[in-house]
Amino acid sequence: MQNQPKPIRCKHPVSNPHPDDCSSLSRRRFLSGLGAATTLAFVEQSASSATKDSNRSAPSFRLEAKANVTATRLDEEVKNAFPLFNKVSVLPDFDLKSQGGKRDVTLHRIVTTTTIPETNETVDVTGLLAIPSDAVGDLPVVSWQHGTILSFDQVPSNLTKLASPTYSLSDDEDSLETLFNIHRFASHGYAVIAADYLGKGPLRNGRGEAYVVKDASTQTCIDMLNAGLEAIRSLDLNPTKLFLNGWSQGAINTQWLHQALRTSGVEIAATAVHSPFNDPGEAWRFWSGRVTFPLPEGVERYPDSPMWLPLCMMVVLGSYEQYYKLDGLIEAVVKPQFHDMTRRYLAKYDLNDIDLSALPGSSDFLVEGFTERFTDQRNSAFLRQLSTNAASYWNYDREIRFHYGLVDEAIHPEMVGRALSAGGKFTTGVPVANANHRTTFLAGLYGDPSTLSGHENVLEWFTAKI
């Protein structure tokens, strides 16, 4: 057994210290793949050099809703889910012989607490811990940050429903991207820890989510990671090297997490992000049609803005209004005819509760002049906060790969270039030809050098570093 890690303190707040620097209707069908106080963090300082600190206070947690899932069952679920993320056929069909799971896995819902830096509230949060069922001794760890879900319950911990032998995962009810992570990592010898996020999962208690709210999201991921590591130890296993992986919303969460951990000296073996919107302000302007970019090389026509983007914009506004205390932000930002729709959607995330025929295009959603001139003090504060939360301008001192699709309907490749050009020598871009938002993510996990511009997939890359 290697030494247990010593406690380290995350700097406060967890902000980037370089400020310059869908109901019966398918929610996933709409989404189509978009998917404070100083805190003790008992994350791995590095498995080889960490020293035990007998005075550290272990984070509180509990494990519940256990599910044992065979590799065969995981393979079957992945086989069914694979085409939903590979609609443009960038990848070959799922191949059981070369891509099948290797080990049965055990899933637990994990419950811990987090203190929200923006509000100083302490709340219960849920997440998922997945480990190989036959694990003994040392175990590398993947911290997984999921993408956008336009519901309250399609979260990682929902996979514990697989405890029922008759339950089958679906695109409308479950986190299929988490399924892929469990299949690729837990079934190949890793522990996987994933937060459901604030305002998500069985303990949300009516709370709105903290969508692209930097400090709250980062602190939740840190606290869930710490709780997951402590839970692994409680199972007589030893967490060793730490890897980070995230997609879409989870990609910017992963960058924030990486930055916060490295600021505190936490060792990270490698980080992978897929379809990342590194700069929320730039993403907002792109989504609203206020900025356009040249066509990527080899692309004849860029895809139109998807119809689910206005829903994501509603969620951003609701989150910033709540967590940054910008009362009335929605009424200040959104055209009057869409106020009621926005409020109704944020209350229930129910597509049946709004008139979809009246859903605006993302370029028709905002008040006139929003990005060109002063329109309201709250609007100005909102734009400043979006800019403050950018993850783009960071000097990475540990390896990180950015997977981006050349026809990603939500994240233009030009936007990813901000982080690649500013990130330093440990930053690598992995363009995926012909890939949209979902397929970019799938390719990162299951692709090969022919798909990934000469790079191996994330599983192979991580495993080479163990």
Side-chain angles (χ1 to χ4, degrees):
M1 296 286 285
Q2 300 185 45
N3 290 333
Q4 295 292 323
K6 64 183 179 181
I8 57 176
R9 293 184 180 272
C10 279
K11 304 294 187 285
H12 72 287
V14 291
S15 299
N16 187 345
H18 304 286
D20 292 328
D21 320 323
C22 312
S23 74
S24 62
L25 283 167
S26 167
R27 292 172 294 220
R28 280 296 195 181
R29 191 170 55 202
F30 264 78
L31 189 59
S32 251
L34 179 57
T38 301
T39 303
L40 280 174
F42 299 102
V43 191
E44 295 302 317
Q45 183 76 347
S46 85
S48 59
S49 64
T51 59
K52 184 175 181 179
D53 186 331
S54 59
N55 295 320
R56 67 182 179 87
S57 299
S60 62
F61 71 92
R62 69 176 185 270
L63 297 179
E64 58 185 29
K66 180 179 178 180
N68 295 311
V69 188
T70 65
T72 299
R73 188 174 180 195
L74 283 174
D75 287 341
E76 188 62 29
E77 295 286 354
V78 167
K79 179 182 177 181
N80 294 334
F82 208 87
L84 301 174
F85 282 67
N86 193 35
K87 289 185 176 179
V88 292
S89 299
V90 168
L91 300 174
D93 292 341
F94 173 66
D95 180 61
L96 179 61
K97 183 176 181 180
S98 63
Q99 298 174 324
K102 302 298 184 185
R103 301 161 74 171
D104 300 346
V105 301
T106 301
L107 309 178
H108 302 268
R109 178 184 295 123
I110 185 167
V111 181
T112 190
T113 61
T114 192
T115 298
I116 305 169
E118 287 81 0
T119 66
N120 206 34
E121 302 166 271
T122 298
V123 298
D124 292 333
V125 288
T126 55
L128 181 72
L129 171 65
I131 58 174
S133 297
D134 59 354
V136 294
D138 294 345
L139 201 60
V141 176
V142 173
S143 175
W144 156 244
Q145 283 65 239
H146 69 79
T148 300
I149 51 174
L150 296 178
S151 76
F152 298 124
D153 49 13
Q154 290 170 270
V155 292
S157 71
N158 206 48
L159 266 67
T160 56
K161 289 186 176 181
L162 289 171
S164 168
T166 61
Y167 189 80
S168 182
L169 301 177
S170 73
D171 208 13
D172 294 348
E173 302 295 334
D174 301 292
S175 179
L176 296 184
E177 67 263 35
T178 299
L179 166 68
F180 293 129
N181 273 265
I182 300 309
H183 183 255
R184 289 307 263 169
F185 297 118
S187 192
H188 286 79
Y190 295 75
V192 177
I193 301 169
D196 290 346
Y197 301 158
L198 283 168
K200 299 289 192 183
L203 299 182
R204 65 174 291 263
N205 294 324
R207 172 177 296 278
E209 68 172 298
Y211 187 75
V212 203
V213 176
K214 181 178 180 178
D215 290 354
S217 298
T218 308
Q219 194 62 59
T220 300
C221 292
I222 288 173
D223 290 336
M224 187 57 65
L225 176 56
N226 288 332
L229 291 168
E230 198 64 28
I232 291 169
R233 297 185 190 101
S234 77
L235 299 172
D236 294 325
L237 299 168
N238 184 47
T240 56
K241 289 192 175 182
L242 175 64
F243 300 86
L244 309 183
N245 191 37
W247 171 47
S248 192
Q249 175 197 2
I252 191 169
N253 288 351
T254 298
Q255 291 171 79
W256 291 333
L257 177 61
H258 181 121
Q259 294 166 9
L261 295 179
R262 289 301 302 142
T263 297
S264 293
V266 179
E267 190 59 47
I268 301 170
T271 297
V273 294
H274 317 259
S275 300
F277 53 103
N278 313 298
D279 184 335
E282 185 175 47
W284 185 267
R285 290 188 291 274
F286 178 66
W287 293 354
S288 60
R290 266 56 175 189
V291 63
T292 58
F293 300 104
L295 283 174
E297 185 176 354
V299 175
E300 296 181 357
R301 182 182 182 277
Y302 207 76
D304 294 332
S305 176
M307 64 184 305
W308 41 261
L309 271 185
L311 300 176
C312 296
M313 296 171 76
M314 293 178 189
V315 176
V316 173
L317 291 171
S319 298
Y320 276 53
E321 182 178 78
Q322 175 180 351
Y323 288 91
Y324 294 115
K325 302 186 184 304
L326 298 174
D327 294 343
L329 177 65
I330 288 169
E331 284 70 27
V333 171
V334 176
K335 288 180 178 178
Q337 61 266 39
F338 305 125
H339 289 174
D340 181 66
M341 174 187 291
T342 301
R343 292 289 182 192
R344 289 170 67 87
Y345 181 71
L346 290 175
K348 298 181 180 179
Y349 280 27
D350 185 351
L351 294 178
N352 287 326
D353 197 46
I354 61 176
D355 181 2
L356 293 176
S357 67
L359 188 69
S362 57
S363 62
D364 300 320
F365 186 53
L366 308 180
V367 296
E368 295 298 331
F370 179 78
T371 59
E372 290 83 31
R373 62 180 184 271
F374 173 79
T375 52
D376 188 282
Q377 188 59 43
R378 291 161 294 189
N379 297 357
S380 298
F382 170 67
L383 289 171
R384 290 194 299 269
Q385 190 63 60
L386 285 176
S387 177
T388 298
N389 288 350
S392 301
Y393 303 107
W394 186 272
N395 181 20
Y396 288 95
D397 65 351
R398 295 295 184 271
E399 286 188 88
I400 180 170
R401 287 186 180 177
F402 291 77
H403 301 80
Y404 59 98
L406 297 186
V407 289
D408 188 324
E409 65 274 33
I411 308 298
H412 195 282
E414 188 86 8
M415 297 158 64
V416 183
R418 309 286 183 264
L420 293 175
S421 58
K425 65 181 180 180
F426 292 101
T427 304
T428 301
V430 183
V432 186
N434 303 315
N436 64 14
H437 201 63
R438 278 192 158 190
T439 309
T440 299
F441 162 72
L442 193 69
L445 290 181
Y446 291 90
D448 61 24
S450 68
T451 306
L452 298 171
S453 300
H455 298 281
E456 70 272 58
N457 62 50
V458 175
L459 173 62
E460 294 169 344
W461 184 46
F462 284 2
T463 300
K465 296 182 175 296
I466 295 176

